[in-house]
Each structure stands twice: as C-alpha cells, then as structure tokens.
Amino acid sequence: MAAESKTWRIAVVNRKDVVDAVGEGLRGDILDLGIDGVECVRHVRLYALRGELSTAELDRITTDLLADPVTQEHLKIDAQGLPVESGEWGVEVWFRQGVTDAVGETTLKGSRDLGVAGIESVDTGRGYILAGPLDRPQIDTICRRLLANDVIERYACYEGGK
C-alpha cells in the first residue's frame, strides 16, 4: 500500500488482565478529592505520528516501539477520541503548542532507527478512561486537579455513548 501523508493517532493500554497501577493510583487520588463512584480508571499512552507512512510502517512502529505485546494492546483512534462506552468518560491530555515533548522526540528518533524515513513528527499524550456515574463538573475537577497541568497541557473530555 502506498504511503499517505497524514496524522495517525495511536492508543496503547494495558490488556484488561494486566494490573493498571497508574489507573488504580489515580482512582485513589480521585477518592481523596471527595469524588465517589469511580469504579475504574484506565491509563492510556497516546501518540500522534505525522508523516508519510504505509500501513506496514505504522504497524512496525506500533508493535516494535510503542507497545509491549505481552502486557499491552494498541489501537488506532480517530478524531472522535478514545473508544469509551456508555457510563465511561474519555480524557486526553496533550502538551500545548511550543512545549518540548521529549518523549515525542525520542519516539521520532526510535522510528527513524527502525528505518521508517517518512515520519515527520511525533506528539505524545496521556489518556484516561474513567468508569462510573460521574458528571461533567466532576470530570472537569478531576482533570484540573489531577490529570493536566494547565500551564503546559490542554485536555479534552467526552462522555461515552453520546
């Protein structure tokens, strides 16, 4: 398949049978905020890869560099965001324009070391899938107090099933 210049969004998450220590820690932090009802928090590593990549090159970067096939799974996501179901919220946290993304730069170098020349840039972010009876004000509080540093990061949140 011919290479196509575009942005590919990749999500890497622990398999459901693997403990998500980051998610469990955040669940405790959310309870410490006085917000009850959070049943589960899943942590997701996010990547936005830009360039002219074939499907095979994208698969190589994803399987050889971004995800551990033993403990993690990866999926391509679209502009609609993380795949969240009814009763869940998706949150994406990305660096603001102009903030240095050291992990993105390292990922770019690693991709080129794999022999993928068409990659132009990589941005990294963090995603979270929160399950439980939460409302938008509670999610905004969680984002502002725990998940994003407003000085250097921006966040977007969306409710599943909507």
Side-chain angles (χ1 to χ4, degrees), residues 41-53:
V41 178
R42 294 187 74 198
H43 175 253
V44 183
R45 291 188 349 232
L46 300 172
Y47 299 89
L49 299 90
R50 277 184 288 289
E52 294 186 17
L53 301 172

Side-chain angles (χ1 to χ4, degrees), residues 12 21 37 40 44 50 52 71 102 106 117 126 136 140-141 144 158-159:
V12 177
C40 178
V44 183
R50 277 184 288 289
E52 294 186 17
T71 61
T106 302
R126 298 179 317 279
R136 180 62 185 238
D140 282 331
T141 298
R144 285 190 327 273
Y158 34 88
E159 189 172 5

